[in-house]
């Protein structure tokens, strides 16, 4: 059984409970309106039957409500609705037989009006399920027509036929109205279930989107971390862990590009280790590598945070000093030279006293980076020619 049908039966239960309360009120009104001593026994029996029927309807509705969560049990309870509808119709039609005061009098018309009202109002409950309303409505009107034409005929045949025709037209009107009402409610609950299904699907899609987006963000973050790691690896010298040749030359190109005659200035220090080949030859490459590692660590310790330090290759290194004039750059080069010459860590770990030859020059706006590096290189070799362990500028 579809979810929309279950919703329809739930609505039917709610409406029929209201119908039961209204039926009790109408039963009491009909009983009081028709009451007199001569019919006391018959009317009391009818009253008892009608009230018992309303209790039966309530019990049946309770059973139906409990079965809503179990489609198989609900299907088994549906025939009981048809039986109760027929019993209710017979009981309502019985007022024509119980209260017989003569056709055409006020009470007879009152009872007929009550039946017509019951048939009309029952559309709100029984009309939700067209099958039930057909059973209820046709049974009541069949009793009315049979009573007027067979059980207690009155008037001329033509009059009775006219009345029967009007009753059938009224029946047709009620059935068409009930069918439209049932279809409208059935379509409403189908659309409601479809809308809830769509909303649920959209929520699931949104939840899935959030999960996927979170996964993409996590993967993007991992890729970004790996990309940063790869950039660091690509720009880092494997031995000394400072900028490699390509990375430091790209920084130099950027510095030169940003340099103008009106603003910006920086200096370059180029140096290498004196007699490094002799160290490798006599002490071994392991010691030579250790010298380079200690050298880079000690030089980094005396540079500023915005200074850039890189290895050009072998024992040759370059320092870029942004926002620095030549005298300050020469002082920095001297500190580096003196610090390495008397460095206690170098002596403790390698047993050597390492000296440096340094070339220091200031960048000129519009100068080619290669030419700038070439000037620093010439100054470094000039320092070597002057006896090494010195700064040339």
């Amino acid at each position: 059984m579809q979810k929309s049908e279950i919703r329809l039966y739930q609505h039917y239960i709610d409406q029929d409970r209201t119908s039961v309360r209204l039926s009790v009120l109408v039963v009491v009104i009909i009983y009081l309106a028709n009451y007199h001593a001569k019919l006391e026994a018959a009317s009391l029996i009818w009253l008892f039957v009608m009230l018992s029927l309303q209790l039966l309807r309530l019990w049946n509705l309770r059973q139906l409500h409990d079965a809503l969560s179990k489609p198989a049990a609900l299907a088994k309870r549906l025939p009981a609705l048809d039986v109760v509808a027929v019993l209710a119709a017979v009981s309502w039609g019985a007022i024509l037989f119980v209260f017989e005061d003569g056709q055409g009098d006020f009470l007879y018309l009152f009872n007929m009006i009550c039946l017509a009202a019951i048939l009309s109002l029952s559309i709100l409950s029984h009309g939700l399920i067209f099958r039930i309303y057909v059973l209820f409505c046709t049974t009541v009107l069949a009793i009315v027509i049979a009573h007027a034409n067979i059980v207690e005929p009155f008037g001329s045949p033509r009059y009775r036929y006219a009345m029967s025709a009007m009753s059938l037209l009224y029946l047709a009107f009620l059935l068409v109205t009930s069918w439209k009402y049932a279809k409208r409610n059935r379509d409403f609950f189908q659309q409601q279930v479809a809308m809830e299904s769509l909303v649920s699907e959209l929520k699931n899609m949104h939840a899935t989107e959030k999960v996927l987006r979170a996964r993409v963000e996590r993967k993007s973050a991992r890729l970004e971390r790996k990309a940063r790691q790869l950039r660091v690896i690509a720009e880092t010298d494997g031995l000394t862990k400072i900028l490699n040749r390509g990375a430091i030359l790209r920084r130099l190109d950027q510095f030169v590009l940003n340099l103008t005659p009106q603003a910006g200035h920086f200096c370059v220090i180029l140096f290498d280790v004196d007699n490094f080949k002799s160290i490798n030859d006599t002490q071994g490459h392991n010691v030579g590598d250790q010298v380079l590692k200690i050298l880079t660590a000690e030089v980094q310790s005396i540079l500023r945070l915005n200074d850039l330090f890189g290895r050009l290759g072998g024992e040759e290194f370059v320092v870029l000093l942004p926002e620095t004039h030549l005298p300050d750059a020469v002082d920095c080069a001297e500190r580096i030279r003196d610090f390495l010459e008397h460095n206690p860590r170098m002596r403790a770990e390698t047993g050597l006293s390492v000296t440096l030859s340094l070339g220091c020059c200031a960048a000129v706006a519009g100068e080619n980076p290669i030419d700038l590096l070439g000037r620093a290189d010439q100054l470094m070799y000039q320092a070597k020619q002057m006896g090494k362990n010195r700064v040339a500028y």
Side-chain angles (χ1 to χ4, degrees):
M1 184 172 290
Q2 295 181 353
K3 193 174 182 179
S4 59
E5 292 184 76
I6 295 176
R7 294 276 181 88
L8 180 63
Y9 280 111
Q10 175 64 64
H11 188 52
Y12 169 78
I13 292 170
D14 295 336
Q15 291 295 96
D16 207 35
R17 283 172 176 164
T18 302
S19 176
V20 168
R21 290 192 287 269
L22 183 60
S23 296
V24 171
L25 177 62
V26 174
V27 165
V28 173
I29 291 173
I30 291 175
Y31 173 78
L32 293 177
N34 290 275
Y35 176 79
H36 52 80
K38 185 175 68 173
L39 298 174
E40 182 177 3
S43 59
L44 282 175
I45 293 173
W46 179 83
L47 178 64
F48 174 77
V49 170
M50 289 300 293
L51 294 179
S52 299
L53 181 63
Q54 307 316 310
L55 292 175
L56 176 63
R57 289 175 65 188
L58 289 175
W59 177 84
N60 193 47
L61 291 175
R62 179 63 182 175
Q63 296 299 312
L64 190 65
H65 181 271
D66 294 340
L68 286 176
S69 58
K70 304 171 185 177
L74 178 61
K76 292 180 180 179
R77 295 298 312 174
L78 297 183
L81 295 178
D82 301 339
V83 174
V84 172
V86 173
L87 290 176
V90 172
S91 300
W92 282 114
I95 65 175
L96 300 177
F97 300 90
V98 174
F99 307 111
E100 294 183 293
D101 283 347
Q103 295 175 337
D105 67 2
F106 173 78
L107 288 178
Y108 181 81
L109 293 176
F110 174 78
N111 292 336
M112 293 295 290
I113 292 172
C114 287
L115 286 178
I118 287 294
L119 291 175
S120 299
L121 292 174
S122 294
I123 292 178
L124 298 176
S125 55
H126 295 326
L128 289 167
I129 303 172
F130 184 65
R131 180 191 76 255
I132 296 176
Y133 188 73
V134 169
L135 289 172
F136 178 75
C137 191
T138 54
T139 302
V140 172
L141 284 177
I143 293 173
V144 171
I145 294 172
H147 182 268
N149 289 274
I150 300 172
V151 177
E152 192 178 344
F154 70 96
S156 65
R158 186 176 178 181
Y159 178 80
R160 294 196 298 272
Y161 296 154
M163 181 179 175
S164 299
M166 290 180 61
S167 298
L168 291 175
L169 285 175
Y170 183 55
L171 172 63
F173 168 74
L174 291 175
L175 293 181
V176 170
T177 304
S178 174
W179 179 81
K180 290 182 178 180
Y181 181 68
K183 184 177 184 302
R184 186 181 66 184
N185 280 276
R186 185 171 60 252
D187 292 343
F188 169 77
F189 286 114
Q190 287 176 347
Q191 292 173 3
Q192 185 184 62
V193 170
M195 184 62 69
E196 290 176 357
S197 177
L198 179 60
V199 170
S200 177
E201 185 177 350
L202 289 174
K203 288 182 178 179
N204 291 336
M205 290 175 63
H206 180 62
T208 302
E209 179 194 8
K210 289 177 65 177
V211 171
L212 292 176
R213 184 180 298 173
R215 290 180 182 174
V216 169
E217 289 176 353
R218 288 196 298 270
K219 289 184 178 180
S220 298
R222 287 198 297 269
L223 289 174
E224 181 62 28
R225 287 195 299 270
K226 289 184 180 296
R228 286 197 298 268
Q229 293 171 357
L230 289 174
R231 284 196 296 269
V232 170
I233 292 172
E235 294 186 343
T236 302
D237 179 68
L239 177 66
T240 59
K241 307 305 178 186
I242 60 175
L243 294 175
N244 59 23
R245 180 183 180 87
I248 195 65
L249 291 181
R250 283 193 293 274
R251 304 298 194 283
L252 177 63
D253 290 343
Q254 193 64 42
F255 277 21
V256 172
L257 183 65
N258 296 333
L259 188 64
T260 63
Q262 294 77 22
H265 44 270
F266 75 94
C267 294
V268 175
I269 300 173
L270 187 69
F271 67 88
D272 71 357
V273 181
D274 294 331
N275 306 312
F276 187 72
K277 184 177 182 303
S278 174
I279 293 175
N280 277 334
D281 292 342
T282 59
Q283 303 295 326
H285 288 282
N286 289 338
V287 175
D289 290 346
Q290 186 69 10
V291 167
L292 296 181
K293 290 179 182 179
I294 296 173
L295 180 148
T296 55
E298 296 302 295
V299 170
Q300 281 182 308
S301 69
I302 60 174
L303 292 177
R304 299 172 302 182
L305 292 176
N306 60 336
D307 295 336
L308 297 179
F309 185 30
R311 182 185 181 192
L312 292 177
E315 73 277 19
E316 197 170 59
F317 298 85
V318 64
V319 179
L320 305 182
L321 302 172
E323 303 299 327
T324 304
H325 294 284
L326 184 59
D328 295 327
V330 172
D331 290 343
C332 178
E334 282 291 351
R335 287 198 303 275
I336 293 173
R337 183 199 64 78
D338 183 68
F339 189 60
L340 262 294
E341 182 182 8
H342 304 98
N343 190 270
R345 180 184 172 188
M346 185 70 74
R347 290 182 180 180
E349 296 186 20
T350 66
L352 300 173
S353 177
V354 174
T355 61
L356 307 175
S357 296
L358 305 93
C360 182
C361 63
V364 179
E367 184 178 18
N368 187 290
I370 300 301
D371 295 337
L372 173 60
L373 205 60
R375 286 199 294 122
D377 188 61
Q378 290 177 357
L379 289 169
M380 182 187 70
Y381 278 100
Q382 182 181 335
K384 285 186 177 297
Q385 292 172 356
M386 293 169 60
K388 302 179 182 179
N389 191 23
R390 65 190 67 241
V391 178
Y393 55 93

